[in-house]
Amino acid sequence: MSKNRVPRHVGFIPDGNRRWATNGGLPKQDGYAHGIEPGLLLFEQCKHLAIEEASIYCYTKDNMKRPAAQQQGFIEASVAFAREIAARGAAVLVVGDETSAKFPRELLEFRQRRGAGMKVNLLMNYGWEWDLAGIKNGGLRSQEVSRLDLIVRWGGGRRLSGFLPVQSVYADFYIRDEFWPDFEPDHFEQALAWYRQQDQTLGG
């Protein structure tokens, strides 16, 4: 494999926001706003590397079991991030259950992809069961999202947590122990260096 090769589609699980806030003496819900700027840094890094598509786990239907202040925190952070990357030219698609009150009304227009730049898929009010249930009506509800090559997760978790299960079938999975608000561009560079060493045969 070329040592300069980059994956076509990368998924990101930016976990650890609440733990980061707690460690800093802040309310848990304050951690999400501190994840916006790292997300913008990563977005610009992906553009610079000519990555074609990125999928980002913003919040899930299961996250709606958390206290109301935390729900508000990650919804507001997700909306702010979506608006900013759209303004920077991303081709944004928001994937999630828009029939629920937990889906931000101001992002309904992005249930259809908008823009012509790098594809960015934002999972908001997403659930794997909700996604797969679309098969009964002819296809995945995330059918516009392509197969993932690499998934990078912050916060030390060693699980997918329901992240795009069909698109993840052959993805390589790289873990960072740092909490998401402590993101550094070198984290992703190291993930890419690790990815280049993997044997991507897709079972062949």
Side-chain angles (χ1 to χ4, degrees), residues 4-147:
N4 295 318
R5 180 173 178 263
V6 297
R8 194 190 65 79
H9 182 191
V10 185
F12 299 107
I13 303 178
D15 199 17
N17 299 277
R18 293 185 298 170
R19 286 172 286 164
W20 180 89
T22 299
N23 287 351
L26 301 171
K28 289 181 178 180
Q29 61 268 19
D30 288 3
Y32 303 110
H34 289 274
I36 297 173
E37 188 60 32
L40 297 176
L41 284 173
L42 180 58
F43 168 70
E44 294 295 340
Q45 187 177 14
C46 288
K47 283 202 304 182
H48 177 74
L49 292 165
I51 288 171
E52 296 178 25
E53 186 172 358
S55 292
I56 302 171
Y57 224 176
C58 294
Y59 67 94
T60 71
K61 294 174 76 69
D62 287 336
N63 292 153
M64 292 297 107
K65 300 171 185 174
R66 295 180 183 175
Q70 292 182 36
Q71 294 182 34
Q72 182 178 2
F74 53 63
I75 291 172
E76 288 179 355
S78 298
V79 170
F81 179 73
R83 288 296 187 192
E84 181 59 29
I85 62 168
R88 296 186 185 200
V92 176
L93 173 69
V94 178
V95 181
D97 183 5
E98 76 277 9
T99 67
S100 166
K102 301 300 183 179
F103 187 95
R105 301 294 100 185
E106 56 266 55
L107 296 184
L108 278 172
E109 64 178 300
F110 293 106
R111 283 296 284 117
Q112 302 293 322
R113 192 178 300 281
R114 302 283 188 229
M118 184 182 83
K119 291 182 178 179
V120 180
N121 312 307
L122 302 176
L123 276 60
M124 299 188 194
N125 200 41
Y126 174 87
W128 66 269
E129 293 171 301
W130 167 86
D131 193 354
L132 296 179
I135 294 173
K136 294 183 292 187
N137 297 316
L140 291 171
R141 286 173 166 150
S142 63
Q143 61 187 345
E144 291 185 57
V145 179
S146 68
R147 183 179 61 77

Side-chain angles (χ1 to χ4, degrees), residues 64 91 93 113 120 138 150 152 159 163 186:
M64 292 297 107
L93 173 69
R113 192 178 300 281
V120 180
L150 171 66
V152 185
R159 58 185 177 274
F163 180 73
D186 187 58

